[in-house]
């Protein structure tokens, strides 16, 4: 991990309109550090297992984008719902889902969150109000809007958060959802995780409007750009959006400007960008390294930070062992959870 000091310009992010001057307490920084590190180490291990053939199918890693989901979770409360696309492992861990269950699902084991039948892209946890990773591009957006409708119908003050990427932002169903959400003033936050490349095409080549925070303008939905590499900026923007929704003002759009270090999926060599570009972002804007440097400034020792890393590695290694030790689902499971 890089250790370069950040200038004020770098800390503001790449084109972000949301200032990163929202101080965290030491406890908040430590929490964010551990949660982001858990996601990073988990995804690194998942990549290793995929390379070994222990994980089949598709596998989309969240490395580089950890600050988004960790920061947003800090702005939510119990009962608020999360739904996302297929780059979903980080979202699951941030909601408190058990790494053992997540990794077991990745390896297709019966102890997984979907009994080993969903794999990387299809996991759910009603207990943690995580309503799934979804393999169809943009499909989670109308579903997340539906969750908000249910909250409105039931008269509670819960908020749903629908995550989707810059590529999915061009889907028609997204705009139908925007329209309904604003018409009915539904408490939904649309978080656009703009990692610049969607499946492999730069946003400058695929989108006529590259300021995704403006995508709701024609529906009168407010939006803002956020430095998605800074967990403090994410949390501050999340607080604002959550307040807006809980007060009955309708939906809100947050464009999180971020960057994934790996390809779109494990099978993507990512030749559409240079190694130098990736390394520059890692050196200048890495979300975990930013927190590490601030913790050192707060007189947290290197030994303490290494101890956190060691604890996280132990958890992840244990989840990998668990996932490879557990049995695969029985053949009879082919006929369960089927509706006709």
């Amino acid at each position: 991990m890089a250790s370069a000091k950040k200038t004020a310009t770098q800390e503001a992010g790449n084109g972000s309109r949301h200032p990163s001057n929202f101080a965290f307490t030491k406890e908040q920084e430590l929490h964010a550090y551990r949660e982001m590190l858990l996601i990073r180490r988990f995804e690194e291990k998942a990549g290793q297992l995929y390379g070994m053939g222990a994980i089949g199918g598709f596998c989309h890693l969240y490395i580089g984008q950890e600050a988004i989901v960790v920061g947003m979770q800090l702005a939510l409360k119990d009962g608020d719902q999360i739904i996302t696309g297929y780059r979903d492992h980080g979202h699951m861990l941030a909601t408190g889902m058990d790494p053992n269950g997540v990794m077991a699902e990745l390896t297709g084991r019966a102890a997984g969150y979907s009994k080993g039948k969903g794999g990387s892209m299809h996991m759910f946890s009603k207990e943690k109000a995580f309503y799934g990773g979804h393999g169809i591009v943009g499909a989670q957006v109308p579903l997340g809007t539906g969750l908000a409708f249910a909250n409105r119908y039931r008269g509670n003050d819960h908020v749903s958060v629908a995550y989707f990427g810059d590529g999915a932002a061009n889907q028609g169903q997204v705009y139908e959802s925007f329209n309904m959400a604003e018409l009915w003033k539904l408490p939904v936050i649309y978080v656009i995780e703009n990692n610049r490349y969607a499946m492999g095409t730069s946003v400058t080549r695929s989108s006529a409007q590259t300021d995704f925070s403006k995508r709701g303008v024609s529906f009168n939905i407010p939006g803002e750009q956020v430095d998605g590499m800074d967990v403090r900026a994410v949390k501050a923007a999340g607080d604002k959006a959550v307040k807006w929704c809980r007060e009955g003002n309708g939906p809100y759009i947050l464009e999180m400007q971020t960057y994934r270090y790996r390809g779109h999926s494990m099978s993507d060599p990512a030749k559409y960008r240079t190694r130098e570009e990736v390394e520059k972002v890692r050196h200048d804007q890495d979300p975990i390294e930013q927190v590490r440097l601030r913790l050192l400034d707060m007189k947290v020792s290197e030994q303490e930070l290494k101890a956190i890393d060691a604890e996280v590695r132990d958890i992840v290694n244990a989840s990998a062992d668990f996932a490879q030790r557990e049995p695969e689902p029985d053949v009879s499971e082919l006929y369960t959870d089927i509706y006709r």
Side-chain angles (χ1 to χ4, degrees):
M1 204 175 290
S3 60
K5 299 233 183 218
K6 308 297 186 292
T7 66
T9 300
Q10 287 169 335
E11 283 213 342
N14 180 27
S16 173
R17 294 181 184 175
H18 204 291
S20 180
N21 57 356
F22 302 92
F24 269 13
T25 64
K26 184 167 75 172
E27 289 68 29
Q28 287 176 309
E29 296 279 24
L30 284 168
H31 173 80
Y33 184 74
R34 186 188 182 282
E35 292 297 296
M36 290 194 289
L37 202 56
L38 174 62
I39 296 171
R40 177 74 57 92
R41 299 298 181 233
F42 185 95
E43 294 291 64
E44 289 170 349
K45 179 61 72 173
Q48 292 173 10
L49 292 178
Y50 188 93
M52 294 164 53
I55 296 174
F58 293 97
C59 185
H60 306 81
L61 303 182
Y62 201 61
I63 297 174
Q65 300 184 208
E66 298 91 349
I68 297 172
V69 70
V70 171
M72 284 301 299
Q73 283 300 125
L74 288 170
L76 302 177
K77 68 177 185 179
D78 288 346
D80 292 337
Q81 303 118 327
I82 300 297
I83 192 167
T84 188
Y86 41 77
R87 196 179 307 279
D88 53 0
H89 316 153
H91 300 74
M92 299 177 213
L93 295 173
T95 61
M97 291 171 65
D98 182 6
N100 284 359
V102 178
M103 195 70 87
E105 188 60 40
L106 289 177
T107 57
R109 306 304 170 117
Y113 270 99
S114 295
K115 303 178 184 177
K117 300 187 290 183
S120 174
M121 301 194 291
H122 303 94
M123 283 184 246
F124 303 81
S125 173
K126 185 177 179 181
E127 176 193 3
K128 299 299 183 181
F130 180 76
Y131 286 82
H134 294 264
I136 303 300
V137 176
Q140 71 274 20
V141 181
L143 294 175
T145 306
L147 290 170
F149 178 83
N151 291 333
R152 176 75 183 273
Y153 184 81
R154 291 166 179 155
N156 61 43
D157 70 340
H158 293 153
V159 170
S160 75
V161 182
Y163 292 88
F164 56 103
D166 47 289
N170 293 323
Q171 287 275 322
Q173 59 194 319
V174 171
Y175 297 99
E176 294 179 59
S177 300
F178 286 177
N179 189 54
M180 286 187 285
E182 178 60 22
L183 272 175
W184 299 333
K185 299 296 182 186
L186 302 182
V188 54
I189 302 171
Y190 298 110
V191 177
I192 304 175
E193 298 187 273
N194 178 9
N195 62 33
R196 309 186 199 177
Y197 287 101
M199 286 186 67
T201 303
S202 169
V203 294
T204 58
R205 296 181 58 211
S206 61
S207 298
Q209 173 54 273
T210 58
D211 183 343
F212 292 92
S213 69
K214 295 180 178 177
R215 290 301 181 95
V217 168
S218 62
F219 305 99
N220 297 319
I221 301 176
E224 63 181 289
Q225 290 181 318
V226 184
D227 181 1
M229 304 297 276
D230 187 333
V231 67
R232 301 168 302 173
V234 173
K235 200 265 185 184
D239 285 340
K240 181 178 178 181
V242 166
K243 183 175 185 292
W244 174 270
C245 290
R246 289 206 209 283
E247 291 178 348
N249 297 309
Y252 205 94
I253 294 173
L254 295 175
E255 179 199 342
M256 300 291 178
Q257 296 184 322
T258 186
Y259 197 88
R260 56 174 165 77
Y261 298 162
R262 302 289 185 92
H264 170 69
S265 70
M266 285 298 296
S267 59
D268 173 19
K271 292 182 179 179
Y272 41 82
R273 59 186 184 179
T274 65
R275 183 184 299 273
E276 290 74 22
E277 177 184 303
V278 179
E279 287 306 311
K280 179 171 175 53
V281 176
R282 291 188 77 123
H283 184 273
D284 293 348
Q285 295 178 271
D286 185 81
I288 300 175
E289 179 65 6
Q290 290 186 51
V291 178
R292 192 184 78 86
L293 291 172
R294 291 198 298 269
L295 285 169
L296 290 174
D297 286 341
M298 292 176 172
K299 308 306 180 187
V300 176
S301 70
E302 284 277 12
Q303 288 71 26
E304 290 177 84
L305 297 179
K306 287 179 179 178
I308 294 172
D309 194 7
E311 176 202 355
V312 165
R313 287 180 187 274
D314 287 345
I315 292 170
V316 170
N317 288 334
S319 75
D321 292 341
F322 176 84
Q324 295 175 91
R325 184 176 65 242
E326 289 296 298
E328 295 180 351
D330 188 78
V331 174
S332 63
E333 278 292 340
L334 286 170
Y335 306 99
T336 62
D337 305 315
I338 297 174
Y339 299 87
R340 60 183 178 179

